[in-house]
Amino acid sequence: MNHRSQKRLIALLIIAALAVAGYTYATPYLVLHRLKQAADARDAVMVDRYVDYPSLRVSLKEQVTELLMRRVDAQKREHPLAAIGALVGMALISPLVDAYATPDGVAALLNGLPPRGEPGETPPAPPSDATSGAPRGESAQSSTESAAPEAEHKPSPRTSAGYRSFDEFVVTYEDSGGHQRYSAIFERYGWFSWKLAAVDLNR
């Protein structure tokens, strides 16, 4: 192999390495885009590819429990009897987790609608539900109706996304005042695969 051929081979190897590095870096952004599209369309098969449901369930249970504990503590200081509602909510954590560890719940999380820890709460349909190809019918209609007040009175949150570490990618949702509301956390599974694995409610 002559000197020119060696230089060409080295250049090709460098280009290939840069392409692989660029794709590796971009994979969580691609996964986020694909997952949101699949969740909005209620494509359960595709959502399953990008969500670690067991890990998400554990995270949801921990986060909602902490959310309600903070609420109980605050309400005890202000109105002791008002804490009863939050205590009732704590007894219903498992149904809430079951409701959010679903394609509907994932769609809500990715559209700025996290769980609030209310008794009997279920994930509302996201604003894009009407045009996302979601199934029509009584259940879809009731979900849309329950989401209407949420969509009308709350502006869409601002989002930012980026790496927290080599194996963790975080999507942060902020309110109109720039205050962080909650985060959706993706974890690396292999070199090129990422899955939604946790949430941080931050409230």
Side-chain angles (χ1 to χ4, degrees), residues 22-131:
Y23 179 74
T24 301
Y25 179 83
T27 48
Y29 294 94
L30 297 174
V31 166
L32 172 61
H33 177 70
R34 292 168 185 166
L35 175 58
K36 188 176 185 308
Q37 283 190 325
D40 285 347
R42 302 307 192 273
D43 184 345
V45 174
M46 185 64 69
V47 171
D48 287 349
R49 292 179 54 184
Y50 298 120
V51 179
D52 183 342
Y53 280 115
S55 294
L56 181 60
R57 288 176 61 87
V58 171
S59 177
L60 281 167
K61 186 173 183 179
E62 292 176 350
Q63 289 293 306
V64 173
T65 300
E66 290 180 8
L67 173 64
L68 289 173
M69 288 299 296
R70 292 195 297 269
R71 188 176 299 169
V72 168
D73 290 341
Q75 291 178 348
K76 277 182 179 179
R77 290 192 296 269
E78 297 178 6
H79 306 285
L81 294 179
I84 295 176
L87 289 172
V88 171
M90 291 189 67
L92 301 175
I93 287 176
S94 291
L96 187 152
V97 170
D98 290 340
Y100 268 84
T102 62
D104 281 347
V106 171
L109 289 171
L110 298 181
N111 281 282
L113 302 171
R116 302 181 304 277
E118 304 294 342
E121 180 181 1
T122 58
S128 59
D129 184 71
T131 58

